[in-house]
Amino acid sequence: MRAINTFLLITCLAVAGCGTTGETSLPGSGLREVMGRLSADGPAATYLDYGDMAHWRALGVVTADGLGDDRRWLAAVGYGFGDLASRIDLLPERTGIKAFATDRAVSVGRPPDTAVRLEGGLDAAAISEKLTALGAKPRTIGGQEGLTFAPDHEIRQTRLTAELGLVTQLNQVVVTRSALVAGAAAAPVAAALGGGGSTLDDRPEHVAVAECLGDVVTATVFAPQQPAGVSLYGVGLRRPAGPGDQAVNVVCVLPRIAEVTQTFTSRFTLQAQVGGKPLVQLADKVEHDEVRSGDLTVRRATVTIKQGGPVTLVHQMLQRVELSRLADPAAP
């Protein structure tokens, strides 16, 4: 998500095409399916950022080659790609990675232990050939054949870093017919490869937040770096059925202490100040409820964004570190 602003500047200059490709996920299945391929003990347990590119293709917002004609949802395109989003225009030619043709993307972890996982729409042979031509060497990662440009976390000037400026994001790469996983070090890449061991979908806290988010096309799920009254947050954009739909954002809060409920419901209202202005200027309504998942109860705020308003408002609030102020009475 850190590279989204750069991504938007670059892709706004791209040549747009028309039409759709690929298939959408079953309603509500995408985030949970991706969680089921991420290690419960890996960096995804602290932070994950998810996006469903296949759905944007289905709506005509993007094509397999770039942007479509609809700019309204542009801010929501590119979630899950991490730092790769900043060079999304150069990836196909230089690396064979066609980001707009992928189905789902998820970036996990906090620096330096991060990884990106892309699913669907990959030509593994072409990607491996291009990366090898750029200087990648064979390396076994997580029990699978992979490629490496530099030792873990090492910043090394190579043809790849010179041309793409990604520094370490493609240091370690594993690409198969179904997924590409890349990162600065082998451990986070291995944790995002899937196969064997428990996954995020086995963690009750993450399952509860995912169930609270529901059918989303973007999502960020994260644990506070300084634990306080909230143990886990989730924010997302509900999947629009059509390009003209009103944007609906969701905030999910898993309390660690009982006081969170009162704080969240009383502060997260249309009168709240977000980005220096009252939320009522950006949203038509905020509805609070709770979602039960096993023995856990998650507090939820559903925000209906005004037509023409920011479709990724709650993601912006996350970037501005506003959520803890509105939800957690014990936040630092």
Side-chain angles (χ1 to χ4, degrees):
M1 188 172 64
R2 291 165 295 155
I4 289 298
N5 290 335
T6 307
F7 164 80
L8 295 178
L9 291 173
I10 292 170
T11 53
C12 279
L13 301 176
V15 177
C18 299
T20 61
T21 61
E23 299 179 354
T24 57
S25 309
L26 293 174
S29 66
L31 177 60
R32 288 289 299 275
E33 287 182 5
V34 169
M35 285 170 49
R37 292 188 271 275
L38 303 172
S39 170
D41 301 317
T46 60
Y47 184 95
L48 73 84
D49 196 50
Y50 164 83
D52 185 341
M53 189 69 80
H55 189 65
W56 297 128
R57 287 201 306 274
L59 293 190
V61 175
V62 302
T63 75
D65 299 314
L67 300 179
D69 295 327
D70 189 339
R71 295 294 189 269
R72 178 175 173 236
W73 299 99
L74 179 61
V77 176
Y79 277 86
F81 285 90
D83 288 346
L84 296 183
S86 67
R87 307 307 292 163
I88 202 168
D89 57 330
L90 297 178
L91 285 175
E93 180 182 350
R94 301 293 194 272
T95 69
I97 301 170
K98 298 180 179 180
F100 288 106
T102 59
D103 292 335
R104 300 168 184 158
V106 59
S107 57
V108 303
R110 295 186 172 102
D113 295 317
T114 62
V116 173
R117 178 186 175 98
L118 310 181
E119 298 184 352
L122 300 167
D123 185 338
I127 294 170
S128 295
E129 181 179 351
K130 285 181 176 291
L131 294 181
T132 300
L134 285 168
K137 304 299 182 185
R139 180 183 183 182
T140 300
I141 302 173
Q144 298 196 43
E145 295 181 4
L147 295 168
T148 180
F149 283 94
D152 288 354
H153 299 302
E154 181 173 304
I155 298 175
R156 177 180 292 183
Q157 185 70 12
T158 66
R159 285 180 58 193
L160 185 70
T161 58
E163 292 181 12
L164 298 182
L166 291 172
V167 186
T168 62
Q169 185 63 72
L170 293 172
N171 265 11
Q172 320 302 336
V173 182
V174 175
V175 58
T176 68
R177 288 184 298 177
S178 60
L180 177 145
V181 183
V189 170
L193 282 173
S198 61
T199 69
L200 284 190
D201 207 34
D202 297 317
R203 292 176 65 105
E205 297 87 354
H206 282 77
V207 170
V209 169
E211 290 179 350
C212 171
L213 289 171
D215 190 11
V216 287
V217 68
T218 70
T220 302
V221 179
F222 66 100
Q225 290 183 278
Q226 295 180 317
V230 173
S231 60
L232 200 64
Y233 289 92
V235 301
L237 168 64
R238 284 279 170 80
R239 184 188 305 271
D245 282 7
Q246 198 163 3
V248 176
N249 287 191
V250 188
V251 178
C252 296
V253 175
L254 181 61
R256 190 190 302 273
I257 60 176
E259 291 80 4
V260 166
T261 297
Q262 172 62 25
T263 299
F264 189 44
T265 55
S266 63
R267 293 182 184 177
F268 200 108
T269 68
L270 288 177
Q271 287 68 50
Q273 291 289 314
V274 296
K277 63 182 65 175
L279 182 56
V280 70
Q281 295 183 16
L282 305 171
D284 285 332
K285 60 182 176 180
V286 175
E287 299 173 288
H288 282 273
D289 66 349
E290 64 180 35
V291 178
R292 294 280 299 175
S293 177
D295 295 330
L296 299 174
T297 300
V298 185
R299 300 299 314 183
R300 176 167 63 190
T302 303
V303 185
T304 303
I305 307 299
K306 288 182 180 296
Q307 289 288 1
V311 298
T312 57
L313 174 64
V314 295
H315 286 286
Q316 294 174 25
M317 293 172 63
L318 166 62
Q319 290 179 298
R320 294 191 296 257
V321 197
E322 293 178 327
L323 289 182
S324 60
R325 171 175 59 82
L326 297 176
D328 190 348

